[in-house]
Amino acid sequence: MDKKELINNGKVKSVYTTDDENAVIIEFRDDMTAGDGARKEVMNKKGSYNALISTKLFKVLEENGIKTQFIDLPETNVMVAKKLEMIPIEVIVRNIATGSLIRKYPIADGTKLDPPIVQMDFKADEFHDPMLNDSIIKALGLATQEEIDELTEKALKINEVLSEFLLEAGIILVDFKVEFGKDKNGEIILGDEISPDGCRLWDSETLDMLDKELFRKGKDNEVMDAYVEVYNRIIPDGEKIEL
Ligand code: C5P
């Protein structure tokens, strides 16, 4: 399947149309950004590691009854995916309080959140991704109440499945962001990616960070080792690809 027209040049991924009107090609680039794109570096093979990690996690979710946009991975950093009309909401699930939650609210870093928090942010860099609530989502016409409930339910199910899967690999799923879209039938499907770019992942023994937070903290020389570590832990030896 060949790339046709570039339809979205995101901060770290480029999306192209294909000959099939129901499929797109998503190219995972080696760019890494922080602070709404204010800081940007190129990290060797990052695109491939993220595409491979995302593919694995999408497959685990599919096996557990959660539909994703994944179709195929013809190259290590190139995904063929169902074409979706993306909903501009970042659905964030938090199992442990950290990051922006502790900066904005009186809650201690590391507090366990049970039940987990589901938060929805408006995906709009120019407004710095402000937090939404149900009324704002409906006023902006981003989703109906029924769809908000469906996004919440799906995000919690993804959390349940991935928390268990990652823990078996010695990784705590601290929090993560997912994005959804609608397919040609209007069905809400998990899109985008699930990778260390959009998750906080901690080693379950040492609590060391294994995700983009290292880059946010300026530890640029450690971040790719962390991504490789996540890859090595979640991909069985027989399935590993030499990059
Ligand atoms: O920064 P904050 O604590 O709100 O992030 C919560 C989770 O959502 C983190 O795992 C982070 O990686 C992810 N996130 C993201 N993209 C954003 C905002 C947050 O992937 N624009």
Side-chain angles (χ1 to χ4, degrees), residues 11 13 62 80 86 122 124-126 141 167-168 174 178 191 195 232 235:
K11 289 199 285 279
K13 297 192 293 298
E62 291 273 0
V80 178
M86 293 305 290
F122 185 31
D125 280 343
E126 65 275 36
L167 200 56
E168 280 169 20
V174 174
V178 279
S195 73
N232 282 331
I235 309 289

Side-chain angles (χ1 to χ4, degrees), residues 162-198:
L162 291 188
S163 291
E164 192 185 326
F165 172 75
L166 289 167
L167 200 56
E168 280 169 20
I171 296 170
I172 299 172
L173 181 56
V174 174
D175 56 29
F176 64 94
K177 181 266 300 179
V178 279
E179 295 178 31
F180 296 87
K182 289 183 192 167
D183 71 5
K184 63 177 194 301
N185 304 314
E187 188 177 355
I188 293 180
I189 290 182
L190 175 64
D192 192 50
E193 67 179 300
I194 304 185
S195 73
D197 267 17

Side-chain angles (χ1 to χ4, degrees), residues 83-140:
K83 188 170 198 300
L84 301 178
E85 188 72 46
M86 293 305 290
I87 302 168
I89 297 178
E90 301 194 332
V91 185
I92 293 167
V93 182
R94 299 177 188 274
N95 296 304
I96 295 176
T98 193
S100 70
L101 191 75
I102 62 162
R103 288 198 296 275
K104 291 180 184 167
Y105 302 96
I107 184 162
D109 198 5
T111 306
K112 236 179 153 318
L113 302 167
D114 190 13
I117 289 176
V118 179
Q119 174 188 332
M120 298 195 188
D121 288 356
F122 185 31
K123 188 178 165 74
D125 280 343
E126 65 275 36
F127 296 103
H128 306 291
D129 300 346
M131 197 189 297
L132 298 162
N133 65 23
D134 290 7
S135 310
I136 299 173
I137 291 174
K138 285 179 273 184
L140 296 180

